[in-house]
Amino acid sequence: MSVLTAEPGAAQGAEEPPESDTDTDTTTRHQLTAVTGVAALSLDAMASVAYGPEVIVLVLAAAGAHGLGFTLPVTIAIAALLAVLVASYRQVIAAYPDGGGSYAVAKAHLGRRTGLVAAASLVLDYVLNVAVAVTAGVAALTSAFPGLYGDRLWLCLAVLAVITAVNLRGIVDSARAFIVPTALFVGAILTLIVVGLFRDAPASTAASAGHASVLADNATTVGALLLLKAFASGCSALTGVEAIANAVPTFRAPAARRAQHAEVALGVLLGVMLIGLSVLISRFDLLPVEGVTVLAQLADASLGHNAAFYVVQFATMVLLALSANTSFGGLPVLLKLLARDNHVPHVFALKADRQVHRHGVLALAAVSAALLVFSGGDTNTLVPLFAIGVFVGFTLAQTGMVLHWRAARGPRWAGKAALNGLGAALTGVSAIVVTATKFRDGAWLIALALPLLVAVFVRVHRAYATIGEHLEVGRIPRAPRRERSLILVPVSSLTRLTSEALTAAVSLGDEVRAVTVCHQDPEDRAHGRALLRDWALWNPGVPLVALASARRTLGRPVAAYIRELTAADPGVRITVLIPEVEPAHLWQRLLQNQRGAVVAHAVRRDTDAAVCRLRLRLQTR
């Protein structure tokens, strides 16, 4: 290990030690390629083909069979918006390779507060995505095995625990674990589409046999409002498109180019699947059926009610549950950027082994678990809240990119700005329509939570600003100077721990005193007299001060003694060195009396003295 030192009086420059080849190889091994990036960050968007066409059909069914004829045009409009978003986010990736997506763009060009609105919208969408994905996957499981319906909440929490555990091992490990289910799902859907295009439409499907149609009776009028509602509902298939732009730093170098490739691959696959399924819906004249998903009807009509049908259902169920992984890939990186800008606790910027933002992963898991408990594992409770925040982020990102191109004015900047402007207009309208059509169904909660979350970001930033002002961050501090130091060591008995603590104390301070608290009851007074007698016989060269206490407290007498010392000598720097045992095993922490924690809390609360916890590690045998 090398040590860098600075000579007194020399220029004080900060230089980072060169990164070794081993460190570089390890970092690269735990970063994404374009293929693994699709598996790790696109499951949310991929899984949306299971419910995107479904919600379009359900909305248009209000206008009867005539309304269902607009399924393909509405899907094509959504696919066009998808193409605009993919092209726009490729530009975001190139312009902001450090990640952050909507937050980074909005902060740079629309102001800090607007950037926080984009960040809050993405945070809400990521959290809701986890809850919706897990409940949807478990709902598919309980549909196949009705006996598990009563245990759906525990199943949701179990799935969440598995996804969290995989992500704590690193985003590359999660991508490797989920690449097979992703490939199986994409392969199954594409096979369903290709076979369905060359197969005659059956008279009826086994999946829908015996189930009542939810088609509206005698409804033939298709109004603009209904089409807008169908479009807004189907736009739920676009959630997750921004995740790759948020997590560009998790890709291998050249990170921006690999992320762009992954973004394009996601857009192509998602567009082909959405349009292909809508073509089959129109070709087979499928009707919404209570208790049977549209995808199940399509699989039955294309592949038949055989093993292939169950493969599609199983792949859909697994991918719906695993699509929560998109949030685990995107949100921790977003939280890292927010922590860097002092809007969330700095602990979210820490990165563990395997390039894992562990605290972001655990925080997402905890909030998602709370949502699952709140909803009871019911998908319908959460779906009305879903996909609103992401359109706010879409709109702000595209608007910011228009300003970016106007300022940069590089080659073909006008065309790029026009593309982003079109995206901003389309997603802005979508955000308004989605919020208006789902407001009474629960979207009002998002309208309330969004400004509250922004307020939390602002409050955290103010707190860090206050701390930075007191610490004089960004200023040259005054030169260090020597002051007389006094070390206090709380003791309760004579042990090796006491000896180690006093050895450390006399090595650190000019003056050392041991202190013990003596209570008034006879047993404690006897113990105090015995300790004073033994201390005199031991004679360690450090005085022992007995602090009398009328109450059975430990911390307050020590804090009061420190205040007396400070009042008598304001120039003395007092440090309380608290000796503690570090157990060899985790369970042995339960055996500790926590006396040190009590004293430390009282000293920090009531005095300006420094607190040092000296831990003596016990050796295992």
Side-chain angles (χ1 to χ4, degrees):
M1 180 180 69
S2 62
V3 179
L4 299 180
T5 60
E7 296 294 334
Q12 303 297 305
E15 181 179 351
E16 294 185 0
E19 189 175 21
S20 67
D21 293 339
T22 302
D23 292 338
T24 302
D25 293 341
T26 301
T27 300
T28 301
R29 188 166 60 251
H30 294 296
Q31 290 180 320
L32 298 170
T33 64
V35 175
T36 54
V38 172
L41 300 170
S42 303
L43 296 185
D44 175 21
M46 293 289 185
S48 64
V49 302
Y51 52 79
E54 174 105 16
V55 293
I56 295 173
V57 169
L58 288 176
V59 172
L60 293 178
H66 184 59
L68 291 176
F70 287 87
T71 301
L72 183 57
V74 170
T75 305
I76 291 176
I78 294 173
L81 177 57
L82 170 65
V84 172
L85 288 175
V86 169
S88 299
Y89 273 103
R90 284 187 76 255
Q91 297 181 171
V92 171
I93 291 169
Y96 295 90
D98 290 335
S102 302
Y103 167 63
V105 177
K107 183 187 72 170
H109 299 287
L110 301 176
R112 182 172 64 89
R113 189 63 63 93
T114 306
L116 293 180
V117 173
S121 66
L122 289 176
V123 169
L124 292 174
D125 186 69
Y126 277 138
V127 172
L128 285 169
N129 171 58
V130 174
V132 170
V134 171
T135 54
V138 171
L141 177 64
T142 56
S143 297
F145 303 98
L148 298 175
Y149 184 77
D151 299 321
R152 64 189 184 280
L153 175 57
W154 293 110
L155 291 172
C156 287
L157 294 175
V159 171
L160 177 61
V162 170
I163 297 174
T164 303
V166 172
N167 278 275
L168 286 174
R169 289 187 55 82
I171 191 170
V172 170
D173 280 9
S174 70
R176 290 170 180 166
F178 300 150
I179 196 169
V180 173
T182 304
L184 178 62
F185 176 78
V186 172
I189 297 299
L190 293 179
T191 301
L192 182 157
I193 293 171
V194 171
V195 173
L197 290 175
F198 294 97
R199 182 174 181 178
D200 294 333
S204 63
T205 63
S208 60
H211 294 272
S213 172
V214 296
L215 192 66
D217 295 329
N218 302 321
T220 58
T221 302
V222 181
L225 183 60
L226 184 67
L227 292 176
L228 283 175
K229 186 174 182 180
F231 175 80
S233 298
C235 281
S236 60
L238 302 181
T239 59
V241 173
E242 81 293 342
I244 293 174
N246 288 338
V248 177
T250 61
F251 284 82
R252 293 181 186 176
R257 182 174 300 176
R258 291 182 187 273
Q260 286 179 324
H261 292 338
E263 187 76 50
V264 172
L266 166 63
V268 171
L269 286 174
L270 183 56
V272 168
M273 289 190 290
L274 285 174
I275 294 177
L277 292 177
S278 295
V279 168
L280 293 185
I281 290 173
S282 300
R283 188 169 187 271
F284 293 155
D285 294 324
L286 291 186
L287 306 176
V289 175
E290 185 176 0
V292 182
T293 65
V294 168
L295 187 60
Q297 293 186 64
L298 288 174
D300 194 20
S302 295
L303 305 174
H305 204 74
N306 49 34
F309 170 83
Y310 289 102
V311 168
V312 173
Q313 293 302 99
F314 177 77
T316 303
M317 176 190 71
V318 172
L319 202 74
L320 279 170
L322 298 183
S323 62
N325 195 67
T326 296
S327 295
F328 282 96
L331 182 59
V333 177
L334 176 61
L335 290 178
K336 179 200 75 172
L337 297 177
L338 287 169
R340 184 192 63 187
D341 295 336
N342 297 332
H343 293 299
V344 297
H346 287 171
V347 69
F348 289 111
L350 300 179
K351 187 182 292 186
D353 294 338
R354 298 174 176 267
Q355 304 297 302
V356 179
H357 296 286
R358 182 173 299 162
H359 296 90
V361 171
L362 293 175
L364 175 58
V367 176
S368 300
L371 268 179
L372 290 172
V373 173
F374 168 76
S375 66
D378 183 14
T379 307
N380 294 329
T381 305
L382 299 169
V383 166
L385 311 179
F386 192 43
I388 297 175
V390 71
F391 278 102
V392 175
F394 283 163
T395 305
L396 295 178
Q398 305 313 310
T399 304
M401 287 301 295
V402 172
L403 299 179
H404 169 78
W405 296 123
R406 288 185 61 186
R409 290 184 178 271
R412 298 187 299 275
W413 72 270
K416 296 176 181 178
L419 175 64
N420 289 126
L422 176 62
L426 293 176
T427 55
V429 171
S430 300
I432 295 172
V433 172
V434 171
T435 303
T437 56
K438 296 185 178 182
F439 192 83
R440 297 182 62 182
D441 295 329
W444 61 270
L445 284 173
I446 300 299
L448 179 64
L450 194 61
L452 287 178
L453 192 54
V454 172
V456 170
F457 291 157
V458 172
R459 183 66 185 88
V460 171
H461 190 272
R462 288 176 181 170
Y464 274 123
T466 301
I467 294 172
E469 185 68 23
H470 286 291
L471 295 179
E472 299 181 357
V473 175
R475 307 176 191 172
I476 299 177
R478 61 184 179 181
R481 64 196 184 282
R482 180 174 177 79
E483 295 180 344
R484 193 173 71 84
S485 60
L486 170 61
I487 310 294
L488 300 181
V489 182
V491 299
S492 59
S493 59
L494 291 185
T495 63
R496 178 190 166 197
L497 182 62
T498 306
S499 175
E500 293 286 345
L502 294 179
T503 299
V506 297
S507 302
L508 294 173
D510 297 323
E511 180 183 355
V512 178
R513 298 181 192 178
V515 294
T516 186
V517 178
C518 299
H519 301 117
Q520 298 301 313
D521 57 273
E523 182 179 353
D524 282 342
R525 285 204 302 269
H527 175 75
R529 288 194 296 268
L531 178 60
L532 290 171
R533 182 181 65 250
D534 294 342
W535 194 276
L537 294 174
W538 183 38
N539 190 21
V542 174
L544 174 63
V545 179
L547 305 176
S549 175
R551 300 180 180 179
R552 297 193 62 82
T553 60
L554 288 173
R556 290 180 180 178
V558 176
Y561 181 59
I562 293 172
R563 290 196 297 270
E564 293 176 4
L565 294 174
T566 303
D569 186 0
V572 67
R573 185 175 290 273
I574 300 176
T575 300
V576 181
L577 183 68
I578 302 176
E580 295 176 314
V581 171
E582 180 71 21
H585 302 287
L586 183 63
W587 66 269
Q588 292 176 336
R589 294 182 184 275
L590 301 174
L591 308 179
Q592 294 180 301
N593 56 30
Q594 304 299 323
R595 294 167 63 95
V598 172
V599 173
H601 175 70
V603 172
R604 290 194 181 100
R605 181 190 60 197
D606 299 331
T607 74
D608 293 329
V611 176
C612 179
R613 311 284 284 270
L614 176 69
R615 300 188 183 275
L616 177 64
R617 185 180 298 275
L618 298 180
Q619 299 297 325
T620 58
R621 293 184 178 179

